[in-house]
Amino acid sequence: MGEYLAKTIHRLSELSGRAVAWFVVAMIALTFYDVLMRYLFNNGSVALQELEWHLFGVIILIGAAYTLKHDNHVRVDLIYGSNKLSDRQRDWVDLLGTTFFLLPFCGLVIFNSIPFIEIAYIANEHSPDPGGLPYRWILKSTIPLGFALLALQGIANLVTLSQRIFRLHG
């Protein structure tokens, strides 16, 4: 059961990461177009600039689970990076870090972001800038989505780490 769950979550993280890769392509194209219009034709757009940072936010939030899956995330290597730790000790650091830091933090962000989105939706929040984008709640909705994906990947990592620690080093 645990292995099936972990594999399913790994597939979801992989799928979300691949989807986000297309957002990166879109952001690059959009930024290129925006710069071209601004500097060659003196015709900038507030909406395009906001869309760029909206896409950037989505890329970071939705791409976090993919990054964690591939172990390419930023970590403080004060303990982990030490060459003195064995693979099993590193697995324990990951297991404890995920259990006591990553998952509780994800839960905290998800729980506290829901009212943030509700307020934006009820108030019909939009950009305060002339020509800016409406429906800011859509962007804000990616906060709990991204952290839910990250928490799921953390759970999949816990399954994998537990199996590795207790089966291989039993």
Side-chain angles (χ1 to χ4, degrees):
M1 175 70 177
E3 282 185 53
Y4 176 76
L5 175 67
K7 285 181 183 180
T8 301
I9 294 170
H10 285 313
R11 281 195 297 270
L12 178 62
S13 294
E14 194 67 32
L15 181 66
S16 66
R18 290 176 188 268
V20 157
W22 287 105
F23 279 79
V24 172
V25 172
M27 189 178 75
I28 291 169
L30 185 66
T31 304
F32 177 77
Y33 175 79
D34 184 33
V35 169
L36 190 70
M37 293 303 292
R38 235 182 315 145
Y39 291 107
L40 289 182
F41 301 105
N42 204 22
N43 185 10
S45 167
V46 171
L48 283 180
Q49 289 177 351
E50 287 186 2
L51 186 56
E52 290 165 18
W53 68 262
H54 285 204
L55 284 172
F56 183 73
V58 170
I59 289 164
I60 297 300
L61 287 165
I62 306 302
Y66 177 85
T67 304
L68 180 62
K69 176 186 181 283
H70 290 280
D71 201 28
N72 287 326
H73 54 91
V74 176
R75 80 167 97 219
V76 179
D77 283 342
L78 183 66
I79 298 170
Y80 191 89
S82 167
N83 290 331
K84 297 175 185 173
L85 293 180
S86 68
D87 288 342
R88 183 169 189 223
Q89 289 170 323
R90 286 188 178 151
D91 286 347
W92 272 106
V93 169
D94 285 342
L95 185 121
L96 295 172
T98 299
T99 302
F100 295 109
F101 295 106
L102 178 68
L103 293 179
F105 182 73
C106 288
L108 187 68
V109 171
I110 292 166
F111 179 76
N112 286 303
S113 65
I114 301 301
F116 183 61
I117 298 161
E118 288 174 343
I119 291 167
Y121 179 77
I122 290 167
N124 193 25
E125 183 181 353
H126 59 281
S127 171
D129 298 320
L133 298 175
Y135 312 118
R136 185 112 349 134
W137 64 270
I138 295 172
L139 174 65
K140 291 180 178 186
S141 296
T142 60
I143 296 169
L145 175 61
F147 277 90
L149 290 170
L150 185 59
L152 284 171
Q153 184 57 50
I155 291 167
N157 286 1
L158 283 179
V159 170
T160 303
L161 288 165
S162 296
Q163 289 174 341
R164 200 161 54 217
I165 290 169
F166 298 112
R167 187 182 303 152
L168 297 179
H169 303 289

